[in-house]
Amino acid sequence: MYEALTPVSEMLSRNLDMLCHQPLLVCGLLEDDLPGLLAAHGPAPRVFTTDFRYFQWLSSHNDIQPEFGAAPTATPAAGLLLLMPKAKAEAHYLLAACLPLLPPGAPVFIAGDNKGGVKAAPKLLAPWCEQVNKVDSARRASLYQAVLSRPAPAFAADDWVGRYPLEEEHLTVCTLPGVFSADHLDAGTRLLLNNAGALHGRVLDFGCGAGVIGASLLKRNPGIELEQIDINALALAASRLTLAENGLQAKVYPSDGLGEVQGHFDCIISNPPFHAGLKTFYDTTETLLRDAKRYLKPGGSLLLVANAFLPYPDLIEQGFGHCETLAANGRFKIYRATA
């Protein structure tokens, strides 16, 4: 899954002498065994990731023990390498979380795809670094280097929480940088909620994001036993905040697809993701459609919203033998299948 080096890491491999003077704290869009490459040429890096899939993969593929969560542990670091994430807001967040761990004079590197926002590195680092230099560019990727000139203020997680009202549901949604639907309810989720109907029993919110679907379902169906899963630590943290803000309770935990899920459900509901990093990525949803029936009780249902152009009805029919279209608005469709 992560075996081949990305173009960004291939570019970084030309700069190992610079990167391997000290054990770096590495975070951001990690998509390969860059940590192993760094460890083979110098001190092993410390890896922090918000991606549970990558956390599991790296944990099982070398001796580096990565950290998974919404922020790194408050352990001092000698330097930082940020792999530019898809959302610039998430880059600001990761720098705010990681830079306070560095002493003045520590090296700071930012690398990424040229189309992925890495050119913003000088502006991102301007508050803390006197000078930011572009030190390499190859394979449509770039590497920027700076030295921490001013101590970064202590990280305050609450400062990064956004909120917006969902008035028709009488809810307040809490969000964090990079989490889907960060400042408003997206049209696909609204269509899904409008067609979800009454639910009962055990319900799984697959790819919970900021927790909009789960919190809405709990408001409408207070008797359900809700579980919320996501691969992203910031999404899980946002979902927990949304639940707490509205006095609701659910079990929230990381899972790569259905890998950490136990038992059977009366309903699996989802507005599934189809982007990973800068790429279009369908594998997680395709696996869900193929395997969901095994996680449903007899008579239990799979309910999801998807862009109308995606070929999900065929995949649902392969898994369930049928697929019902509950609603459509031109851009999105709501599908249901019953075990």
Side-chain angles (χ1 to χ4, degrees), residues 258-274:
L258 295 165
E260 304 301 312
V261 172
Q262 302 292 323
H264 296 84
F265 295 84
D266 295 281
C267 180
I268 298 175
I269 188 167
S270 182
N271 181 353
F274 65 97

Side-chain angles (χ1 to χ4, degrees), residues 8 49-50 59 64 72 77 79 83 88 132 144 150 179 197 263 266-267:
V8 174
T49 181
T50 60
S59 298
I64 297 170
L83 284 304
K88 192 179 295 184
V132 181
Y144 291 82
R150 293 173 287 276
V179 176
D266 295 281
C267 180

Side-chain angles (χ1 to χ4, degrees), residues 43-244:
R46 171 183 166 191
V47 179
F48 163 67
T49 181
T50 60
D51 185 326
F52 187 65
R53 179 188 290 117
Y54 186 78
F55 168 77
Q56 288 186 308
W57 180 85
L58 190 63
S59 298
S60 64
H61 275 72
N62 57 39
D63 295 332
I64 297 170
Q65 292 301 310
E67 301 175 37
F68 170 77
T73 56
T75 304
L80 175 67
L81 170 59
L82 170 67
L83 284 304
M84 192 71 185
K86 178 184 177 184
K88 192 179 295 184
E90 187 176 348
H92 281 285
Y93 173 91
L94 291 172
L95 288 172
C98 294
L99 287 177
L101 307 179
L102 307 184
V108 181
F109 302 96
I110 296 182
D113 189 292
N114 289 337
K115 294 183 179 180
V118 71
K119 296 176 183 178
K123 288 184 178 180
L124 287 170
L125 293 176
W128 305 284
C129 303
E130 295 290 347
Q131 185 173 352
V132 181
N133 300 311
K134 185 177 182 179
V135 294
D136 199 5
S137 183
R139 302 298 306 276
R140 299 181 298 280
S142 296
L143 171 64
Y144 291 82
Q145 181 269 338
V147 172
L148 190 67
S149 307
R150 293 173 287 276
F155 178 63
D158 290 346
D159 292 346
W160 295 88
V161 180
R163 290 175 173 82
Y164 64 88
L166 205 59
E167 294 178 355
E168 55 268 57
E169 304 288 346
H170 304 290
L171 291 170
T172 297
V173 179
C174 297
T175 69
L176 285 167
V179 176
F180 178 69
S181 236
D183 56 7
H184 66 281
L185 181 66
D186 68 288
T189 298
R190 167 51 58 203
L191 187 65
L192 178 61
L193 290 173
N194 287 345
N195 290 275
L199 299 179
H200 67 278
R202 196 170 177 223
V203 177
L204 178 66
D205 179 5
F206 179 97
C208 58
V212 177
I213 293 173
S216 298
L217 294 179
L218 282 169
K219 273 280 191 177
R220 299 177 183 187
N221 309 274
I224 64 172
E225 181 184 350
L226 179 70
E227 297 187 16
Q228 295 179 289
I229 61 172
D230 205 289
I231 203 169
N232 184 280
L234 295 175
L236 296 168
S239 282
R240 293 186 183 104
L241 289 167
T242 296
L243 290 167

Side-chain angles (χ1 to χ4, degrees), residues 321-339:
H322 67 281
C323 176
E324 178 184 3
T325 300
L326 290 183
N329 65 4
R331 184 180 176 191
F332 297 102
K333 291 185 177 182
I334 307 300
Y335 303 115
R336 181 173 65 188
T338 304

Side-chain angles (χ1 to χ4, degrees), residues 237-294:
S239 282
R240 293 186 183 104
L241 289 167
T242 296
L243 290 167
E245 186 87 5
N246 296 283
L248 302 170
Q249 292 187 333
K251 182 179 179 181
V252 183
Y253 55 99
S255 184
D256 178 10
L258 295 165
E260 304 301 312
V261 172
Q262 302 292 323
H264 296 84
F265 295 84
D266 295 281
C267 180
I268 298 175
I269 188 167
S270 182
N271 181 353
F274 65 97
H275 286 92
L278 300 175
K279 308 183 185 89
T280 302
F281 186 78
Y282 304 105
D283 181 66
T284 298
T285 303
E286 291 176 359
T287 302
L288 168 67
L289 303 184
R290 184 179 65 242
D291 295 344
K293 188 175 181 180
R294 296 193 291 111

